[in-house]
Amino acid sequence: MKKIQGLFLFICIFLVACSKASVDEPLVVGIAWKQNTKTECYTYLKNTLDDLGIRNVILGEVFHNSLNYDGWRLSAECIDSDDILKPQFADIVKERALESNAATVMDGISAVIFAGGEDVVPTLYKQPVPWHGIPEEKDYDATRDVSDYLLMSYCLNSDIPVLGICRGAQMLGVVSGATIIQNIPTWFAARSLEYRYEHRPASTNGDFASHGVNIFAESLAARLFGTNFIEKCPSWHHQCIDSVDGTNLKVTGVTPVNGINMVECIERSDKHLAIGIQFHPEVAYMKHLNKEKDAEKYTSMEQIGKFFRSFVATAAR
C-alpha cells in the first residue's frame, strides 16, 4: 500500500511540474510569411526579437482554398499586368477569408507580427479603387497580400494578438475596412498643402526619415510604449491609413503635418491586442545595437525594447 501511495504521490508531483513548465514556457511570436526574408524589414525585425530574447519563427505561407497556385506563387490567372490581384479573386479572399490553412500555419503560435514591405493591392480594400498610377512607386506582391490578408483575418477572428508594422498596420486597416491614402505627396498636393516628406526622404536612396509621434492617453499604444510621445521614430512609407470611420478601429497615435494629423497608430477596440504602427521600431533598435553612425537620429533602444517586451507580456495575458 505504501508503494502505491508513493507512486501516486510521484505521479502527482510530476504532473504538477509538467503543468508549471507548460505555463511558464515563453510564448512564440510568428512573423508573417514573405518569400524573400532577406529584406531589411525582416532581418531587422527578427534580429531585434532575437536580441530581446523573444521566441519567434517566420511562418509559412497562408493559401486560400479556392485560389490556384504555381508552387508558392499565385497562378498568373489571378494577377493583372500591373501585378495587382484581379477583382474577382480579391472578392473571393475578402468574402471567404477564413477558407485557408491558417490554423495549420498558426499551430503553436501565440501572437503574430506583420512586417513592413510592399504596398497592399487596392483591390483588397473594402471599397476597391484604381491603383495610384505612379510607375516608380509600384511594388505590389499579390501573393504576399493574400497570405497576409488571410492570416490577419484568422487572427482577428480568433482574437489572437497581432502587431502590424508599417505595411502591417495598413493590412490591419484594410482587413478592418479602413480607407488608405495611396500616395501621401499627391494627397497633399491635391489639397494645395505643402508636404516636406516627413515620412520618407524625397530621394528614395536616402535613409529612414525621423519624426515624433503623439500617442493618445489611456490607449493600448500608450501602455505598450509607456509614454504619450515617442521621439525620432524611423519612418519609410508613402502610403498610410486615411479614415477608420465605420470600422472597429480607433486612431491612437498621430503626427501633425501642416495642420493634418497623419495616422500613426491604430487599434481594434473589440480585440484583446490588435495594434498597427506606421513607423519602424525595429529599425531604431538595430541601428543602436549595431552602433550605426546615424543611430542617434532614432528612438532609443531602451524605448523600443520596452515596447516589444510589453507587447509580448500583454499577448501572454
Side-chain angles (χ1 to χ4, degrees):
M1 177 63 70
K2 288 183 178 180
K3 289 183 178 179
I4 293 175
Q5 290 176 333
L7 179 61
F8 178 74
L9 179 61
F10 172 79
I11 292 173
C12 288
I13 293 173
F14 176 77
L15 290 175
V16 169
C18 289
S19 175
K20 185 176 187 305
S22 176
V23 170
D24 292 342
E25 186 75 9
L27 63 76
V28 179
V29 174
I31 301 174
W33 173 88
K34 175 178 166 66
Q35 175 63 18
N36 177 15
T37 58
K38 302 301 182 183
T39 61
E40 195 171 51
C41 290
Y42 268 74
T43 56
Y44 273 22
L45 176 58
K46 182 158 187 24
N47 290 344
T48 294
L49 298 179
D50 288 344
D51 190 70
L52 289 169
I54 297 171
R55 297 178 66 198
N56 66 90
V57 62
I58 295 178
L59 300 176
E61 182 178 359
V62 180
F63 299 91
H64 196 281
N65 297 343
S66 296
L67 298 185
N68 293 323
Y69 292 80
D70 295 326
W72 62 268
R73 193 189 304 274
L74 279 169
S75 64
E77 68 180 357
C78 298
I79 304 170
D80 69 14
S81 58
D82 291 312
D83 300 321
I84 295 173
L85 187 66
K86 292 180 179 178
Q88 63 268 37
F89 298 105
D91 288 344
I92 290 173
V93 172
K94 289 184 284 187
E95 294 166 9
R96 295 150 53 190
L98 299 181
E99 298 179 12
S100 73
N101 65 322
T104 300
V105 168
M106 285 292 294
D107 185 31
I109 305 298
S110 302
V112 179
I113 299 178
F114 293 79
E118 306 87 356
D119 296 342
V120 179
V121 293
T123 50
L124 281 176
Y125 299 175
K126 183 177 180 180
Q127 297 296 331
V129 297
W131 73 289
H132 50 68
I134 306 172
E136 58 270 23
E137 295 286 6
K138 186 173 70 171
D139 65 342
Y140 299 116
D141 183 345
T143 303
R144 183 188 180 192
D145 287 339
V146 170
S147 183
D148 274 1
Y149 193 104
L150 298 174
L151 182 58
M152 181 72 78
S153 298
Y154 175 84
C155 289
L156 292 175
N157 185 68
S158 305
D159 205 8
I160 295 169
V162 296
L163 164 62
I165 297 175
C166 196
R167 165 199 159 88
Q170 293 166 24
M171 183 58 76
L172 174 60
V174 167
V175 172
S176 303
T179 56
I180 302 293
I181 294 175
Q182 287 200 78
N183 190 56
I184 297 172
T186 54
W187 189 89
F188 269 83
R191 288 155 180 77
S192 299
L193 294 172
E194 182 183 11
Y195 180 64
R196 298 179 179 176
Y197 292 86
E198 286 85 349
H199 300 93
R200 189 186 71 182
S203 168
T204 55
N205 294 322
D207 209 340
F208 287 79
S210 176
H211 62 78
V213 173
N214 297 321
I215 304 293
F216 295 3
E218 300 182 4
S219 65
L220 173 60
R223 295 199 301 274
L224 295 182
F225 280 104
T227 182
N228 291 335
F229 180 74
I230 313 167
E231 64 175 3
K232 300 186 287 187
C233 296
S235 179
W236 182 276
H237 61 97
H238 77 111
Q239 298 195 336
C240 67
I241 301 293
D242 181 11
S243 171
V244 300
D245 292 348
T247 75
N248 288 320
L249 291 165
K250 57 183 179 180
V251 175
T252 55
V254 298
T255 294
V257 178
N258 204 357
I260 303 293
N261 280 331
M262 305 298 292
V263 176
E264 296 285 350
C265 301
I266 55 172
E267 303 169 13
R268 279 284 294 256
S269 56
D270 59 330
K271 302 301 175 184
H272 164 53
L273 176 53
I275 182 170
I277 56 176
Q278 189 59 70
F279 46 96
H280 287 271
E282 77 286 1
V283 169
Y285 190 92
M286 291 306 301
K287 281 184 173 291
H288 286 286
L289 184 65
N290 294 336
K291 295 181 171 53
E292 296 184 25
K293 61 182 181 180
D294 62 344
E296 294 309 313
K297 286 174 52 180
Y298 304 109
T299 317
S300 74
M301 193 173 176
E302 293 72 23
Q303 178 75 77
I304 301 306
K306 176 189 291 186
F307 169 71
F308 279 112
R309 289 193 179 102
S310 296
F311 171 77
V312 172
T314 304
R317 292 175 191 157

